[in-house]
Amino acid sequence: MRIITFLLIFSMLFACKKDVKESGKVTRLPYFNSADFTPNWEEAIHRIPKFSFTNQNGEVVTNQTFEGKIYIADFFFTSCPGICPKLTKNMASIQEAYKNDEDIMLLSHTVMPWRDSVPILNEYAAKNNVDANKWQLVTGEKDALYAMARSGYFADEDFTKTQDESDFIHTENFVLVDKKGHIRGVYNGTLPIDVERLYRHIEILREES
């Protein structure tokens, strides 16, 4: 009798834990309106500012390029020997996963525009099998790129501490942007566990849109 009672209690506890886990499943993403990345579940205040850059094929890329699209943005430079190869590899995996999905796009901004010219980006794109219909590698004026990183995507954590505009930007963040230009998630693009979380959140946004 005691054994049966114990088994009943154990099964009830297990069921409760399972329910908590399932009820804790993310089904909606917050909005991020400031550089401290405090999640806001109600108000979508911040929107990616207007921009105009040049991609690896010498074509102009603007907000309209991503209008009505979910996209993942990051910042890199082609000669980076450290985290950038990991970021590029993981972006390439996302490109492959959504190669037939017109609603998902990728946007990589160089943080070394004085070196990463259009021909350099084009060469880098070819080396990494970048599909220009899916993934834009962009360059432009340094001030515009850095302002976009800091004020648009909140991608430069050091700037929030130092406020030094001359600091070089180097961030491992992937930023998830919804179809209306709102930031809905931030992920460490070098960590497999965070990239997997990004995949899950993309699917949540697809359901929302």
Side-chain angles (χ1 to χ4, degrees):
M1 184 67 180
R2 289 181 178 178
I3 295 175
I4 295 174
T5 302
F6 174 78
L7 290 173
L8 286 171
I9 293 173
F10 178 80
S11 63
M12 290 173 66
L13 288 172
F14 179 79
C16 288
K17 287 184 178 180
K18 183 178 179 183
D19 288 342
V20 169
K21 183 177 181 181
E22 289 180 351
S23 65
K25 182 179 178 181
V26 177
T27 57
R28 180 171 172 266
L29 301 181
Y31 298 95
F32 295 96
N33 297 316
S34 61
D36 61 8
F37 287 109
T38 299
N40 189 311
W41 296 95
E42 302 299 330
E43 293 184 281
I45 299 171
H46 179 77
R47 194 186 298 267
I48 301 302
K50 290 183 178 180
F51 61 83
S52 180
F53 298 121
T54 305
N55 74 1
Q56 66 267 31
N57 293 330
E59 301 167 339
V60 175
V61 172
T62 69
N63 304 72
Q64 290 186 334
T65 307
F66 300 91
E67 189 173 359
K69 308 290 184 182
I70 295 168
Y71 72 93
I72 300 92
D74 77 337
F75 294 82
F76 80 114
F77 59 104
T78 60
S79 57
C80 168
I83 66 172
C84 294
K86 292 182 181 179
L87 297 177
T88 300
K89 179 181 178 182
N90 287 331
M91 288 287 267
S93 296
I94 297 170
Q95 175 185 251
E96 178 63 22
Y98 294 100
K99 63 182 179 182
N100 296 319
D101 190 332
E102 295 182 355
D103 284 340
I104 311 297
M105 294 186 69
L106 309 174
L107 174 59
S108 294
H109 311 72
T110 180
V111 295
M112 196 179 280
W114 56 90
R115 183 187 184 280
D116 287 338
S117 61
V118 169
I120 294 292
L121 289 181
N122 189 272
E123 181 180 345
Y124 188 83
K127 179 181 178 181
N128 291 281
N129 299 312
V130 173
D131 178 357
N133 293 316
K134 174 67 64 177
W135 185 0
Q136 307 291 327
L137 311 181
V138 296
T139 188
E141 295 295 327
K142 177 189 173 183
D143 289 349
L145 286 162
Y146 276 44
M148 184 57 61
R150 290 164 173 161
S151 302
Y153 296 96
F154 311 130
D156 186 9
E157 295 177 6
D158 289 337
F159 183 69
T160 62
K161 302 171 185 175
T162 67
Q163 296 295 303
D164 187 348
E165 294 183 0
S166 65
D167 277 357
F168 183 70
I169 293 176
H170 206 181
T171 174
E172 70 276 7
N173 286 347
F174 283 173
V175 181
L176 179 62
V177 182
D178 68 17
K179 292 185 176 182
K180 296 180 180 179
H182 304 298
I183 296 175
R184 307 299 296 277
V186 183
Y187 316 83
N188 187 319
T190 69
L191 298 179
I193 190 171
D194 243 22
V195 176
E196 285 300 318
R197 185 167 64 91
L198 169 59
Y199 279 116
R200 294 196 300 272
H201 288 185
I202 289 172
E203 294 307 311
I204 291 171
L205 273 191
R206 280 156 56 88
E207 291 296 321
E208 174 185 298
S209 301

